[in-house]
């Protein structure tokens, strides 16, 4: 097991009716920026619950945060906070709104051009505006981690950053909020969380037995409930297990002491930035092909995954690994994922070189757990993903 430090200060308030606790969670004298997205919180009753809980608190609203939040939009919120002297951010939404809150939190007191936060993949350690969250869409785990991804619309780039100052002070997770979500968003949430686990688990063995079992438990739970929760999101037991699986998939716990990959995400981010494809669907496009291309390096963990998660029998690791990839594809299909890039855009002729060239210009030439996902490997993976 690799040496590690684990730090996660986020307070999770989980369960039905917990939005009412905002009154005691938000500092009493706070001047709050209420941050949200496209308006779904007005349709599902969350907005009314939030406003009721914050009665008597000074609140300034900022809506319109996009899926894959735009730098340009978030900078308007940064200026609003500076102008109004606000000192707390409450993100009410899914991962995109919470990711947006993290960027705003980092940018308000940042002395230089805030784009540096993205281009330099900065780790923000201090001077961040405190924030909390009310989760409305389980998927990203952003409600309990310190990472964020922001899109610069002008250059069509989707870039990650983070840092220990960017953990939410608290996150309220009420599973009942998923009952009104569109089917597509629920499907995406399951696959997003599933792939988050795979990025931290499907690497190579380091003797981290408990971490492996944690990861496999989340994967098994998502396989068990994935289709069911999409079809019946009003079932509280399904909703609660779905929401908590998404949080546990990326709150930092299962990545401690183990190598991690994230190449699937880095490639997928480019597809979202260039074509507007849902984040989870880019992962479904890329992941099986990355596993196939990198099978010689991931064989042992792929075989373990196949045996423990999919109950595949067999003594030949390579054969079990191949079957495990096939089972993953089958699950993605059951979850309604379209796994070919050509299904989303006809503009695929230059995509292979475009993505690999972007990685080379940024210095991202050694991705993956071993640093061996080179631009050549990226080209091969994207080529397999087109049709």
């Amino acid at each position: 097991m690799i040496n590690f430090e684990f730090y996660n200060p986020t307070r999770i308030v989980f369960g039905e009716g917990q939005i009412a606790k905002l009154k005691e969670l938000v500092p009493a004298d706070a001047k709050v920026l209420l941050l949200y997205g496209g308006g779904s919180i007005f349709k599902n009753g969350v907005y009314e619950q939030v406003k009721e809980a914050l009665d008597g608190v000074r609140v300034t609203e900022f809506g319109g945060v996009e899926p894959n939040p735009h730098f340009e939009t978030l900078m308007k919120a940064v200026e609003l906070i500076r102008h109004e002297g606000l000192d707390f951010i409450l993100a009410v939404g899914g991962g995109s709104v919470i990711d947006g809150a993290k960027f705003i939190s980092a940018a308000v007191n940042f002395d230089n051009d805030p784009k540096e936060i993205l281009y330099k993949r900065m780790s923000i350690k201090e001077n961040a505006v405190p924030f909390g969250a009310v989760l409305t869409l389980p998927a990203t785990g952003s409600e309990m981690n310190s990472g964020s991804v922001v899109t610069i619309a002008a250059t069509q780039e989707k870039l990650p950053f983070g840092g220990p100052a960017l953990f939410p002070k608290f996150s309220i997770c009420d599973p009942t909020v998923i009952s009104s979500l569109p089917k597509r968003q629920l499907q995406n949430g399951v696959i997003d969380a599933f792939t988050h686990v795979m990025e931290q688990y499907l690497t190579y063995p380091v003797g981290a037995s408990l971490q492996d079992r944690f990861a496999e438990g989340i994967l098994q739970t998502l396989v068990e409930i994935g289709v069911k929760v999409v079809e019946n999101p009003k079932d509280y037991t399904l909703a609660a297990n779905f929401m908590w699986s998404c949080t546990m998939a990326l709150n930092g716990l299962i990545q401690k002491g183990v190598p991690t990959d994230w190449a699937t995400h880095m490639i997928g981010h480019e597809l979202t930035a260039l074509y507007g494809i849902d984040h989870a669907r880019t992962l479904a496009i890329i992941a099986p092909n990355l596993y196939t291309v990198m099978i010689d390096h991931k064989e042992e963990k792929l075989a373990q995954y196949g045996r423990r998660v999919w109950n595949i029998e067999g003594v030949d690791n390579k054969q079990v690994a191949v079957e495990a990839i096939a089972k993953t594809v089958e699950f993605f299909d059951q979850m309604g994922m379209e796994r070919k890039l050509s299904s989303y855009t006809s503009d695929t002729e230059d995509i292979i070189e475009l993505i690999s060239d972007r990685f080379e210009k940024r210095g991202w030439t050694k991705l993956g757990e071993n640093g061996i996902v080179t631009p050549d490997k990226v080209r091969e993976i994207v080529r397999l993903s087109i049709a």
Side-chain angles (χ1 to χ4, degrees):
M1 191 184 301
I2 301 169
N3 292 351
F4 67 90
E5 295 184 13
F6 182 51
Y7 171 74
N8 193 318
T10 300
R11 177 179 178 179
I12 294 293
V13 183
F14 192 98
E16 184 174 3
Q18 298 301 295
I19 294 175
K21 290 187 176 178
L22 272 174
K23 187 72 172 181
E24 61 192 68
L25 294 169
V26 173
D29 58 350
K31 297 184 287 291
V32 178
L33 178 77
L34 177 59
L35 188 74
Y36 52 86
S40 62
I41 63 170
F42 296 100
K43 301 174 184 176
N44 58 18
V46 170
Y47 177 81
E48 287 79 5
Q49 293 181 63
V50 169
K51 291 290 283 186
E52 182 178 350
L54 293 180
D55 183 42
V57 177
R58 176 181 167 184
V59 175
T60 301
E61 298 185 20
F62 186 94
V65 177
E66 305 87 354
N68 307 297
H70 290 181
F71 167 84
E72 295 85 349
T73 300
L74 300 178
M75 284 304 300
K76 294 177 183 177
V78 169
E79 293 304 320
L80 180 61
I81 288 178
R82 291 171 175 168
H83 183 265
E84 297 292 332
L86 309 181
D87 54 20
F88 193 89
I89 303 165
L90 180 63
V92 181
S96 292
V97 174
I98 303 172
D99 276 13
K102 292 175 184 178
F103 178 80
I104 296 166
S105 170
V108 168
N109 298 319
F110 189 71
D111 291 332
N112 299 320
D113 183 350
K115 281 185 181 177
E116 290 184 18
I117 296 171
L118 304 177
Y119 281 124
K120 295 182 178 180
R121 298 181 68 180
M122 297 183 72
S123 178
I124 306 300
K125 299 181 174 67
E126 59 186 2
N127 294 327
V129 177
F131 66 98
V134 175
L135 180 65
T136 63
L137 172 59
T140 70
S142 193
E143 67 276 6
M144 199 181 178
N145 66 42
S146 61
S148 176
V149 186
V150 167
T151 296
I152 302 176
T155 55
Q156 293 183 294
E157 295 175 281
K158 185 176 177 180
L159 303 169
F161 71 101
L166 298 180
F167 284 98
K169 299 299 181 183
F170 63 82
S171 287
I172 295 175
C173 304
D174 181 344
T176 64
V177 302
I178 80 162
S179 64
S180 62
L181 290 175
K183 185 174 183 178
R184 184 183 184 93
Q185 290 186 334
L186 292 168
Q187 292 170 328
N188 287 350
V190 172
I191 298 305
D192 200 0
F194 190 93
T195 314
H196 285 159
V197 178
M198 295 287 271
E199 295 275 40
Q200 301 164 89
Y201 166 78
L202 197 61
T203 56
Y204 56 84
V206 292
S209 301
L210 184 58
Q211 298 304 81
D212 281 357
R213 292 297 189 184
F214 280 152
E216 290 154 2
I218 299 170
L219 294 172
Q220 288 173 315
T221 302
L222 289 169
V223 169
E224 179 183 336
I225 69 171
V227 172
K228 296 176 183 177
V229 77
V230 170
E231 296 302 324
N232 190 13
K234 293 183 179 180
D235 184 306
Y236 186 82
T237 299
L238 291 173
N241 280 284
F242 167 48
M243 181 171 274
W244 190 229
S245 291
C246 292
T247 300
M248 290 296 294
L250 201 59
N251 67 357
L253 179 62
I254 66 171
Q255 75 176 23
K256 298 307 176 185
V258 299
T260 59
D261 186 345
W262 300 110
T264 294
H265 271 69
M266 302 310 282
I267 300 170
H269 288 338
E270 300 302 319
L271 300 182
T272 297
L274 290 166
Y275 300 116
I277 304 170
D278 300 9
H279 171 61
R281 290 168 194 261
T282 71
L283 303 180
I285 291 168
I286 296 297
N289 296 307
L290 183 141
Y291 306 152
T292 298
V293 170
M294 305 306 296
I295 192 169
D296 289 341
H297 304 279
K298 295 180 178 288
E299 180 181 307
E300 193 168 350
K301 287 301 286 285
L302 270 167
Q304 177 180 309
Y305 160 70
R307 293 185 178 106
R308 292 185 181 181
V309 175
W310 296 110
N311 300 313
I312 299 170
E313 298 180 354
V315 296
D316 182 85
N317 275 357
K318 177 59 74 67
Q319 183 57 41
V320 174
V322 171
E323 291 184 33
I325 296 172
K327 282 287 189 181
T328 306
V329 168
E330 182 181 331
F331 176 58
F332 287 179
D333 289 343
Q334 290 173 345
M335 291 305 306
M337 297 293 109
E338 177 50 68
R339 295 177 293 97
K340 297 299 181 182
L341 181 56
S342 57
S343 298
Y344 297 93
T345 177
S346 59
D347 182 25
T348 57
E349 189 168 329
D350 299 323
I351 187 65
I352 297 172
E353 292 302 321
L354 178 57
I355 292 177
S356 60
D357 287 350
R358 282 186 165 195
F359 284 9
E360 288 178 337
K361 289 177 181 177
R362 295 178 192 145
W364 300 357
T365 57
K366 295 181 179 180
L367 301 179
E369 65 270 24
N370 286 310
I372 56 176
V373 182
T374 62
D376 283 342
K377 292 293 186 184
V378 170
R379 291 185 187 97
E380 187 176 354
I381 293 163
V382 177
R383 186 175 293 108
L384 285 177
S385 304
I386 289 176

